[in-house]
Amino acid sequence: MSAAPIDEVDVSLGKLEKTLKSDIAAAQQQIDMLKPRIGSFTSEQTARLLIASAVSKIFSGDFDEALSALDKAETKVNTPQYLSQIYNYRATCLIGLRRYRDALLVMGRNLALLEKIDDPIEKRDSYFRIANLYDELEAYDEMGLYASRILDLADNQQDTKAHCYGIFLLAMSQNGRGMLKQAQEGFQNGLSYCAEHGYSLMVAMINKGMGDTARQLGDNLAAQRYFRTSLAQYQQFHFATEIVSTSALLAQVDLALGEVQEAEMMAANVLAADSSSSYMAARRDALKVMAEIAANRHDFAKAYDYQKQYLELNGKLFDESRVKALAYQAAHFSTNEREQELKLLNKERELLLTRGMLREKEHNNMVTFVTLLSVAIIMLAAFSYWGWQQKQRFMRLSRHDQLTGIYNRSTAQFLGDNQFVQAMSRDCHFSLMLFDLDNLKLLNDSFGFGCGDWALCRVVECVKASLSRHHIFARTGGAEFVVIMLDVDAMDAMALAEQLRRSIADIDSHRSGHHFVITASFGVSSRTPDDLSLEPLINRADKALHQAKLSGRNRVCVAPEVTTEISDVDEVLSH
């Protein structure tokens, strides 16, 4: 077989790479036309076609097939330019497959490769994917750092695409950090700029980001408009993962606006999609929408089934968030640190070479000794750092209750002791309440432990909504919780306890698939001048809680020092 004309093949590949940026369906047709001729291509041309095929698979959400194509492409080329593209797209696939540690390692290899590349476009694309990786890991400060680097490249090279990337990523970083107004302004600027320069896919991403920001700001009508626009744009690209993700967000907004049929249709589309790990978050949100719709229709059997699936996926995603943190720690991945590491290693290497040339034979023994000592120090430092990382990881995992996500007993004790010391040093108010869910065992025996877990999680959500970020809220036992309040006097503590008691009693249990009433009994105590630690307050609150149980449950009882301080306890509780 004679080789295909190089110019003709290169022109066809150039057209294909351009089409990939605007029309995935048309690009796939071009790929199918070129594949039968791949045997006559040069190695570089074969790699380009395989990379294009991988990009097409990424848009359709077929990350395993994309990885296979990239592996084949890597065997065809060894130039930094193409290897950098392969590493970038491989990291994208690994992120989609939730293999975060592998993605971090691949991006680390790519950063080392970038030292050999002067092409600002390759650096721009690499920084873009690094920022996306940090977005997946919810490391929004680092994401903002790489957004700034892309904007610096844009200023230096007059690169409009880099400017579009940078504006979008900076707004996404602000959105993730809760800087919603700044994010909204950034998205607006990015929308007009990227649309003006014809970056259609980025326009779709920005519309989705604007919808998410509007949703968090409570403007559901604006969020609905942006999500619908973004969904239509993603559908033009056949971008499967983003279509599913945006549909799940749109279902939530439609339901909040009372458009039940539209919400149900969007949620059903999400659940009909592939159930792979890349769609877990979207499926969880869709299940929550379907459960609420079914409950409102009094179809409690379906509501229970959807709620059960939702809780299972929510648990998996909670575990995945911990996997992200562990992957981030294990890879020790920070581009700033990595660049400094590379520079330091290069300087050390140059220094060692210079010393070797100067001393050559005369100081061979000394050089050997210094080298061995350096290796020992580096190994000791690396082992110490690894041990510190492991300690930090286990400390973080040990601070929270696995089911509800709030603090556990030991963490509450530690933080409470610190706040108590503050209260003593400042001579300020300090109060504490214990509360216990009434008859949780009966609920578990009647409807199963899944229903009991639902009740515990719902109570935690309800209570957290009424607490400030300064309060310490923890689960201390099976159904027992504690709230520690610095700068809160006895009267306010009692009023808060009564408010929480009523909120818990108002919880609608229909969404669990069963009908039952959740109540809680409360015991409240406050600091006296004689208290020297947290323990006396806990003991008094526990006795008050016990009194509330004996008095018929679903009530607030207060310790004696609270009753003495407030003359009319009943009047406080009535308000």
Side-chain angles (χ1 to χ4, degrees):
M1 182 182 293
S2 60
I6 292 178
D7 288 346
E8 177 196 340
V9 174
D10 288 337
V11 168
S12 298
L13 289 170
K15 290 180 179 178
L16 168 59
E17 289 159 351
K18 186 175 181 180
T19 306
L20 274 171
K21 300 175 182 178
S22 58
D23 191 341
I24 297 301
Q28 186 59 53
Q29 292 178 359
Q30 294 178 28
I31 291 170
D32 293 338
M33 292 175 61
L34 288 169
K35 273 187 176 179
R37 304 168 55 194
I38 198 170
S40 62
F41 290 2
T42 66
S43 295
E44 181 178 313
Q45 291 167 346
T46 302
R48 289 174 68 184
L49 182 59
L50 288 168
I51 291 170
S53 178
V55 173
S56 174
K57 297 296 182 183
I58 289 171
F59 274 95
S60 64
D62 194 349
F63 298 115
D64 288 316
E65 286 293 325
L67 282 174
S68 177
L70 292 169
D71 289 341
K72 293 175 184 176
E74 190 174 1
T75 65
K76 300 295 182 181
V77 290
N78 58 7
T79 57
Q81 176 187 357
Y82 289 111
L83 287 176
S84 179
Q85 291 182 37
I86 291 168
Y87 292 158
N88 278 330
Y89 290 123
R90 182 176 288 154
T92 301
C93 295
L94 292 169
I95 292 169
L97 293 170
R98 268 45 180 184
R99 291 166 55 184
Y100 299 107
R101 182 175 181 180
D102 292 339
L104 286 163
L105 294 175
V106 169
M107 291 312 301
R109 291 173 64 188
N110 190 43
L111 283 171
L113 190 63
L114 286 178
E115 292 289 313
K116 305 174 184 177
I117 298 176
D118 294 324
D119 187 353
I121 294 177
E122 290 297 330
K123 288 189 175 183
R124 174 199 70 196
D125 292 341
S126 294
Y127 290 157
F128 180 74
R129 285 174 177 80
I130 292 169
N132 281 328
L133 178 56
Y134 278 127
D135 184 25
E136 284 290 332
L137 294 174
E138 299 175 0
Y140 299 114
D141 289 334
E142 290 85 349
M143 183 183 183
L145 170 67
Y146 280 92
S148 299
R149 292 192 175 192
I150 293 173
L151 289 171
D152 289 340
L153 281 175
D155 293 338
N156 294 334
Q157 303 295 326
Q158 299 297 307
D159 185 344
T160 58
K161 189 171 186 179
H163 194 72
C164 176
Y165 280 177
I167 295 174
F168 166 71
L169 291 170
L170 187 59
M172 286 290 290
S173 168
Q174 292 167 336
N175 185 53
R177 287 180 284 171
M179 302 162 63
L180 301 180
K181 291 295 184 182
Q182 295 93 320
Q184 193 175 54
E185 183 179 348
F187 282 133
Q188 288 283 5
N189 294 336
L191 184 62
S192 58
Y193 184 91
C194 297
E196 177 186 346
H197 290 86
Y199 300 121
S200 305
L201 181 57
M202 292 302 302
V203 169
M205 293 180 176
I206 291 171
N207 274 315
K208 181 184 177 186
M210 290 178 71
D212 187 54
T213 302
R215 181 175 65 90
Q216 293 185 66
L217 289 169
D219 190 353
N220 287 321
L221 278 172
Q224 183 187 63
R225 184 172 68 255
Y226 288 125
F227 284 144
R228 285 179 175 174
T229 302
S230 176
L231 180 60
Q233 291 165 338
Y234 279 133
Q235 287 169 340
Q236 292 177 359
F237 282 91
H238 304 281
F239 201 159
T241 51
E242 288 299 333
I243 289 171
V244 172
S245 172
T246 308
S247 297
L249 291 168
L250 186 54
Q252 297 175 70
V253 173
D254 286 342
L255 185 60
L257 292 171
E259 299 180 13
V260 177
Q261 289 184 341
E262 289 80 359
E264 187 173 21
M265 180 181 69
M266 286 293 109
N269 288 343
V270 173
L271 297 178
D274 187 357
S275 60
S276 67
S277 61
S278 57
Y279 300 141
M280 279 175 59
R283 288 179 64 83
R284 175 200 61 188
D285 296 337
L287 286 166
K288 187 174 183 180
V289 169
M290 295 295 271
E292 187 167 347
I293 292 173
N296 290 337
R297 291 173 177 169
H298 302 290
D299 189 350
F300 298 121
K302 278 188 178 179
Y304 175 75
D305 183 58
Y306 285 132
Q307 186 71 19
K308 182 179 179 182
Q309 294 179 63
Y310 163 78
L311 289 172
E312 289 175 356
L313 271 182
N314 202 43
K316 290 179 181 178
L317 287 167
F318 178 74
D319 292 338
E320 183 180 278
S321 67
R322 291 188 290 180
V323 171
K324 290 179 183 179
L326 293 176
Y328 180 80
Q329 296 162 13
H332 185 42
F333 186 84
S334 165
T335 306
N336 256 346
E337 293 175 349
R338 197 169 187 86
E339 289 178 351
Q340 293 301 321
E341 240 176 75
L342 289 170
K343 291 177 182 177
L344 181 61
L345 288 172
N346 286 333
K347 288 180 180 179
E348 288 181 352
R349 185 162 52 249
E350 291 172 6
L351 180 60
L352 288 173
L353 287 173
T354 303
R355 287 178 176 174
M357 291 174 62
L358 292 173
R359 298 177 182 179
E360 205 169 349
K361 296 180 181 180
E362 299 176 359
H363 300 288
N364 279 342
N365 291 337
M366 181 61 70
V367 170
T368 302
F369 173 78
V370 170
T371 302
L372 290 174
L373 182 60
S374 299
V375 170
I377 291 173
I378 292 171
M379 290 179 64
L380 180 61
F383 182 77
S384 299
Y385 181 69
W386 178 84
W388 177 83
Q389 278 192 319
Q390 295 299 310
K391 180 180 178 182
Q392 294 298 313
R393 177 172 68 90
F394 287 120
M395 284 180 63
R396 276 191 289 273
L397 292 176
S398 67
R399 285 168 61 90
H400 293 85
D401 175 59
Q402 186 174 0
L403 174 64
T404 61
I406 61 175
Y407 289 132
N408 57 25
R409 184 189 190 98
S410 60
T411 305
Q413 182 73 46
F414 174 76
L415 297 176
D417 285 337
N418 288 342
Q419 285 200 356
F420 185 83
V421 171
Q422 291 183 47
M424 289 184 65
S425 64
R426 290 161 44 197
D427 193 23
C428 63
H429 295 294
F430 184 89
S431 298
L432 178 147
M433 73 172 76
L434 296 176
F435 69 91
D436 187 52
L437 301 193
D438 299 325
N439 299 318
L440 181 64
K441 184 178 184 303
L442 179 60
L443 181 62
N444 285 331
D445 293 342
S446 301
F447 303 117
F449 285 95
C451 191
D453 289 347
W454 179 92
L456 287 168
C457 292
R458 188 67 189 87
V459 166
V460 168
E461 290 177 11
C462 178
V463 171
K464 284 172 68 176
S466 298
L467 300 180
S468 79
R469 62 188 182 87
H470 301 294
H471 294 153
I472 298 170
F473 180 32
R475 182 184 179 194
T476 57
E480 187 171 295
F481 300 84
V482 64
V483 179
I484 299 172
M485 300 158 284
L486 179 64
D487 287 325
V488 174
D489 61 17
M491 181 178 293
D492 288 341
M494 290 168 57
L496 177 59
E498 179 62 19
Q499 177 188 341
L500 296 180
R501 183 193 69 79
R502 292 177 181 175
S503 297
I504 292 170
D506 289 340
I507 290 175
D508 183 3
S509 65
H510 286 86
R511 295 181 184 177
S512 71
H514 302 285
H515 180 65
F516 52 85
V517 176
I518 306 172
T519 63
S521 301
F522 288 75
V524 179
S525 66
S526 292
R527 185 178 76 88
T528 69
D530 296 329
D531 292 328
L532 299 179
S533 70
L534 199 61
E535 290 304 318
L537 280 83
I538 295 174
N539 292 336
R540 294 197 298 271
D542 189 55
K543 290 177 182 178
L545 171 60
H546 185 62
Q547 182 61 38
K549 292 283 189 181
L550 293 177
S551 301
R553 299 187 175 91
N554 190 23
R555 65 190 61 224
V556 176
C557 285
V558 297
E561 82 284 356
V562 177
T563 307
T564 302
E565 184 176 340
I566 301 173
S567 58
D568 196 339
V569 172
D570 292 334
E571 182 180 350
V572 174
L573 294 179
S574 67
H575 286 81

